[in-house]
Amino acid sequence: MSRPYVLLSAAVSLDGCLDDTGPRRLLLSGPEDFDQVDAERAASDAILVGAGTLRADRPRLLVGSARRRAERAAAGRPEFPLKVAVSGGGDLDGADPFWTTGGERLLYTTDEGARLARARLGGAAGVVALGPAVAWAALLDDLGARGVRRLMVEGGARVHTQLLQLGLADELRLAVAPLVVGEADAPRLFGPGAYPGGPRGRMRVLGTGRVGDVIVTRYAPTAPGTDAAATAADRHWLRTACELAERCPPSETAFSVGAVIVAADGAELARGHSREAGDPVVHAEEAALAKLPAGEPRLAGATVYSSLEPCARRASRPKPCARLIVDAGVRRVVTAWREPDTFVPGADGIGVLAGAGVVVAEVPELAVAAVRPNRHLVPAGTGGA
Ligand SMILES: NC(=O)c1ccc[n+]([C@@H]2O[C@H](COP(=O)([O-])OP(=O)(O)OC[C@H]3O[C@@H](n4cnc5c(N)ncnc54)[C@H](OP(=O)(O)O)[C@@H]3O)[C@@H](O)[C@H]2O)c1
Ligand SMILES: [Zn+2]
């Protein structure tokens, strides 16, 4: 069963707000952007919103353009995309325009919510009860089974946040409006929590442009299940790197780090650890890379596992490890522990890597193992140790 392609679409202020706290909906984008959103809707099989947005904004979620509707009809599609809402409690108003205007309507809810929703909505919508809770994967599976190939998600904050955090979003279309809301309690697009790619995980920019006075950027999140996420094999190799770190000659002035380079087919290409073979300054990633011939073709598909985030700056060699990794043509790094400020404050090896297009996955549950040989160099409590 194939899930639909999931496009998150939102407009935010310069301070990242989806709305202000006033009773009326804050208009963020202008007519040109609304027209593009209309085109996105027309290109979608279904449009989804959370019940919070229904209650706050009472949107209709239609395709406004008669030409686009005619084109859909000519292509044998319904005039309007399927309209999908999500509610846990089922506390919905059947008089909301969402339920009374064009398009087929579907509500995903809990077993409990379904009872209230059926009473409130009557025959205005199909009601799908997904058990004691609404699981997004199950919802997407069900939409896929209904033939939905492309799903446009129009908010609000809680819906966008969950889909992104769960790695279920394929794309984010973000319109940034040139205004500042300036209210502490205004709803933010993305809430707190863990996002794919780690706390500073970077999305890929697919394109950007000016639409009227808003700037629209399309991003591809790095989602679990795709290249960014750590797999069981990743954890195995990263654990190996952490074990290598234990073999480093002790030092008061440098971290003990282990690194393993593994080819796309799972074959180990090289390994290394800090200060190995009598070199007092060699770093783990550097030592591992040095064991491979220059231009080794398998590096392009390889992953570097390093117990510590590759260094971004170092005095002992001309190039830090993050740069060596980029220059070697490696496209993926998996690490357990971000470099603390002990020796190089503000070092951002992950930023250097990501800025060069290298996908970085973090496995924080192995941070304890990565910190262990370095306990004397970091404040107590670092890495959960
Ligand atoms: N600027 C924009 O592009 C844009 C777009 C849309 C919305 N907004 C703004 O966003 C705000 C609304 O955001 P929001 O976070 O309050 O609302 P929301 O994300 O639209 O809806 C949240 C509600 O959806 C239901 N829901 C979400 N996840 C669920 C799950 N896993 N299981 C069961 N039910 C689930 C729940 O409904 P029940 O409470 O019924 O259980 C929950 O309260 C409004 O201020 C609106 O203006 C802005
Ligand atoms: Zn290094």
Side-chain angles (χ1 to χ4, degrees):
M1 188 162 23
S2 66
R3 289 183 189 159
Y5 185 89
V6 176
L7 168 71
L8 308 184
S9 175
V12 292
S13 61
L14 289 174
D15 50 346
C17 298
L18 278 175
D19 197 0
D20 57 17
T21 55
R24 303 229 349 241
R25 176 179 181 185
L26 173 69
L27 280 189
L28 286 157
S29 50
E32 298 92 341
D33 184 52
F34 281 128
D35 186 60
Q36 278 202 2
V37 167
D38 195 67
E40 290 291 352
R41 287 181 186 169
S44 302
D45 300 305
I47 305 168
L48 181 146
V49 279
T53 297
L54 289 186
R55 289 189 285 261
D57 297 346
R58 308 189 77 221
R60 297 181 310 154
L61 298 176
L62 300 173
V63 174
S65 152
R67 174 181 55 83
R68 292 185 184 121
R69 292 200 301 272
E71 282 168 5
R72 284 179 60 97
R77 307 166 82 189
E79 204 184 356
F80 296 106
L82 172 69
K83 299 198 294 193
V84 182
V86 182
S87 166
D91 180 11
L92 300 158
D93 182 354
D96 269 350
F98 181 87
W99 308 108
T100 58
T101 57
E104 209 187 314
R105 296 159 299 256
L106 196 57
L107 173 74
Y108 287 98
T109 182
T110 59
D111 292 345
E112 175 112 29
R115 264 179 279 135
L116 180 58
R118 288 199 179 99
R120 293 281 178 81
L121 302 178
V127 176
V128 181
L130 288 177
V134 176
W136 285 100
L139 183 155
L140 294 176
D141 283 341
D142 189 79
L143 284 176
R146 289 169 192 266
V148 173
R149 297 279 157 266
R150 186 176 175 88
L151 175 68
M152 180 175 177
V153 179
E154 293 206 42
R158 271 174 284 172
V159 165
H160 282 321
T161 295
Q162 292 173 72
L163 286 168
L164 188 61
Q165 289 184 341
L166 291 168
L168 294 171
D170 296 292
E171 187 179 331
L172 166 66
R173 179 196 189 275
L174 185 67
V176 178
L179 62 95
V180 176
V181 170
E183 293 175 340
D185 299 331
R188 252 71 188 181
L189 173 55
F190 294 121
Y195 286 85
R200 285 189 264 152
R202 295 169 83 98
M203 295 192 191
R204 200 151 48 87
V205 174
L206 300 173
T208 191
R210 176 179 174 158
V211 185
D213 71 350
V214 309
I215 303 299
V216 175
T217 309
R218 310 185 77 106
Y219 300 90
T222 44
T226 64
D227 47 4
T231 62
D234 286 334
R235 272 183 271 278
H236 161 78
W237 287 116
L238 192 56
R239 223 174 279 124
T240 304
C242 294
E243 285 161 16
L244 285 169
E246 301 276 1
R247 296 198 205 161
C248 303
S251 169
E252 289 302 320
T253 54
F255 290 116
S256 292
V257 182
V260 190
I261 306 173
V262 179
D265 63 1
E268 177 177 330
L269 297 180
R271 55 172 68 192
H273 61 77
S274 316
R275 302 178 291 287
E276 71 174 38
D279 182 335
V281 296
V282 76
H283 284 189
E285 307 93 309
E286 177 192 19
L289 283 167
K291 288 168 191 157
L292 296 171
E296 160 63 56
R298 287 175 296 175
L299 281 172
T303 298
V304 170
Y305 297 90
S306 184
S307 60
L308 176 67
E309 170 183 15
C311 61
R313 269 179 279 150
R314 61 186 288 197
S316 55
R317 293 274 205 265
K319 284 186 184 177
C321 292
R323 185 46 56 191
L324 291 175
I325 289 168
V326 170
D327 290 352
V330 171
R331 311 299 299 153
R332 186 166 184 268
V333 170
V334 178
T335 185
W337 181 32
R338 282 188 185 242
E339 179 166 349
D341 286 344
T342 314
F343 302 119
V344 185
D348 184 16
I350 289 177
V352 171
L353 290 166
V358 177
V359 173
V360 183
E362 284 184 83
V363 184
E365 64 262 34
L366 286 176
V368 175
V371 170
R372 196 175 298 124
N374 298 290
R375 267 175 310 217
H376 58 298
L377 298 173
V378 296
T382 303

